Each structure stands twice: as structure tokens, then as C-alpha cells.
Amino acid sequence: VRFQPDENIFKPITEFKYETLRKRLRELSYLNSGVDIEITDKRTGMHERLESTGGVRSFGIDKNATRTAIHKDPIYIQRTINQKTAKDSTKTVPVYVEAALQWNSSYNETPIEAYTNNIPQRDGGTHVTGLKNAMTTVFKNYIAKNELMKKADKFELAGDDMREGLVCVLSVKIPQPSFSSQTKDKLVTSEAQPAVYAAVSEGLETFLEEHPDQAKVICEKIITAARGREAARKAREVTRKQILGGGLPGKLADCSRRDPL
């Protein structure tokens, strides 16, 4: 396929940027393990062969390369789920799920890199929802089962706690996916959510059981994030009470009457 941009349509830019193309082709090499892609810029003579035998697993490692990983092995999940369709429960659609998860020492939540049939979804969608729900369920159950939280911890773990310091790449391949708009920034295919949930749940449970030492490190990271969130909430409450209860005018004070009239 040869493509030449039309100056009447692509004004004011008709010049290709090597780095932009290289980044996209590098993504494709990760998302399609075993496929080699070569890029050549005849303007400058730059040439590179992009290949990845590790697929999405290598993609996740590369994304986490500038950070300090807290566990050695990325959690790699690869499953094909024959999911019943929403319109007809007697029919199934094959949903291929591939994901890589690895936690680092940072305290920030990195957006999940999500793709459907090699197309990126910056706004997530049903596949991302399935992954998040699976993470929350599996880690809550594992932490409770192994009594990793202290008795003094009187709070519930939240989904945000699971994703602090997490680098995650999620790729699904599904026939005839549906998106919320023509830009395909958000997946809305209903079958993707339960399929990803099933695949990620099984993969996480297997990893946690087979790697107890690494599982403990990840869970400690999650619990620490939850403690920090709870401490911040309590600090906000104390500050609010100090501000509103310190002799301010009646209109700004906390309500002290139960009778609305």
C-alpha cells in the first residue's frame, strides 16, 4: 500500500514524523508477537527493525523500564474465552485476552494501556472495566484469605489501591468490536467485560498461588496505598472540623438541628 498525503486535505502538515510512526509500529510489533516490522526513512537514511518475541509481556517490561519494579516477574496472562453473546446466549464469540501487569515503587496511578484488535483506547471501555473488577476481587480475597492486613486496619480496600504503582498493558482481539465513536477511543462491546474478567481472574489467582513471595510484596504495596488513602481522608475530616467549628458565623457552621423546618 502506497500512501501520499493530499496537501488540500492534510493542511498545514504533510510531512511524516519518524518518531510518531516508529512509536506506532513498535506498538504493533508488541501486540502481534512474532511479527517483524521494518521502518526506513529515506530522507535521513534511518532504519530500524522492530521485532518482539515476548509480545505484550515485553511491552509491559518496556513500559516499566524507567521505574523500579518491586517484583521480579511480570504477571502475564494469555487466554481465549468463548464468551456467550448478549443477544443470544446459545451463541459464543471468541475473545482473545493478553495482559501484562507489574508494580513499581512509585505512588502514582499510570493509565492502563488498552487495545482492541491493535487499536488503542485512551478512554478504556468494557475490557478495562473487566480487568479492574477482576483485580479488585482477586486481591481482596487473597489478602483476606492470607490475613495480610492488621486487625487495626478498619477500612475496605478500593480499586484505586490496587492500581497505585501499576504498569499494565491489556490487549483483546474480538470479532466485530463496537466503539463509542468513530475515533474508537472507548470499547463498548459487552462480551469483552466478562471475558476479560474471567481471563484476568484466573491468571492472577494462578500467579499469586505459584509466586507467594512476590504476591506478598504486591499485596503489601496495595495495603500501604490503602493506609495512605485512609490517613488522607481522616486528615481532611480533621481539617474541615477545625475550619468549620472554630467560631465562624452561624451560616458557615455545621448543621446542628435535625428539624429541617
Side-chain angles (χ1 to χ4, degrees):
V1 176
R2 293 182 179 272
F3 173 77
Q4 184 68 34
D6 189 326
E7 294 183 0
N8 295 321
I9 297 175
F10 290 91
K11 286 181 180 180
I13 301 172
T14 57
E15 184 177 354
F16 291 105
K17 292 184 178 180
Y18 179 83
E19 261 321 302
T20 301
L21 292 172
R22 180 193 176 278
K23 179 183 177 182
R24 177 55 181 155
L25 294 176
R26 166 55 84 188
E27 285 182 351
L28 291 174
S29 70
Y30 280 129
L31 296 170
N32 301 276
S33 180
V35 175
D36 295 347
I37 301 174
E38 292 188 50
I39 178 172
T40 303
D41 189 342
K42 294 183 178 179
R43 302 167 300 182
T44 61
M46 295 181 68
H47 175 270
E48 191 170 355
R49 183 175 181 178
L50 308 171
E51 55 182 325
S52 170
T53 56
V56 167
R57 184 179 186 277
S58 296
F59 199 179
I61 293 174
D62 186 45
K63 287 285 183 183
N64 214 17
T66 58
R67 304 172 180 90
T68 303
I70 63 172
H71 57 107
K72 182 182 69 172
D73 300 312
I75 302 175
Y76 178 62
I77 299 163
Q78 187 182 32
R79 302 278 193 284
T80 297
I81 305 294
N82 291 316
Q83 182 61 44
K84 293 181 179 179
T85 62
K87 294 181 179 180
D88 187 351
S89 60
T90 63
K91 296 181 180 180
T92 61
V93 58
V95 182
Y96 173 79
V97 181
E98 192 174 5
L101 304 89
Q102 189 175 38
W103 279 260
N104 56 62
S105 58
S106 72
Y107 299 98
N108 301 320
E109 179 179 341
T110 304
I112 295 172
E113 298 273 354
Y115 299 84
T116 302
N117 296 0
N118 297 330
I119 303 167
Q121 282 80 56
R122 62 182 181 182
D123 295 332
T126 49
H127 51 346
V128 174
T129 300
L131 180 138
K132 289 181 177 180
N133 290 345
M135 286 178 55
T136 302
T137 300
V138 170
F139 278 112
K140 274 187 175 182
N141 292 340
Y142 185 85
I143 290 171
K145 177 183 176 182
N146 292 276
E147 300 180 345
L148 298 179
M149 291 180 68
K150 297 179 180 178
K151 293 183 179 179
D153 293 328
K154 304 294 184 181
F155 52 81
E156 286 286 330
L157 296 173
D160 291 346
D161 304 326
M162 320 285 173
R163 298 188 294 275
E164 185 176 290
L166 170 66
V167 170
C168 176
V169 179
L170 171 65
S171 172
V172 300
K173 291 185 171 69
I174 184 170
Q176 299 178 340
S178 300
F179 302 94
S180 61
S181 64
Q182 288 186 341
T183 56
K184 301 182 180 181
D185 290 331
K186 185 175 183 179
L187 180 69
V188 296
T189 302
S190 59
E191 290 82 8
Q193 182 171 335
V196 173
Y197 182 92
V200 173
S201 295
E202 182 182 347
L204 280 178
E205 288 171 354
T206 300
F207 181 89
L208 296 177
E209 292 298 329
E210 293 180 351
H211 303 83
D213 293 339
Q214 296 187 61
K216 184 178 180 181
V217 172
I218 296 170
C219 291
E220 287 176 349
K221 170 79 171 175
I222 293 170
I223 295 169
T224 300
R227 288 177 182 147
R229 174 177 54 80
E230 182 67 8
R233 184 189 65 80
K234 290 181 178 180
R236 287 194 300 270
E237 285 186 358
V238 171
T239 302
R240 178 178 176 277
K241 289 179 180 179
Q242 289 175 344
I243 293 175
L244 296 180
L248 291 174
K251 289 184 179 180
L252 298 179
D254 284 342
C255 179
S256 59
R257 295 182 60 184
R258 295 185 178 181
D259 185 358
L261 299 178

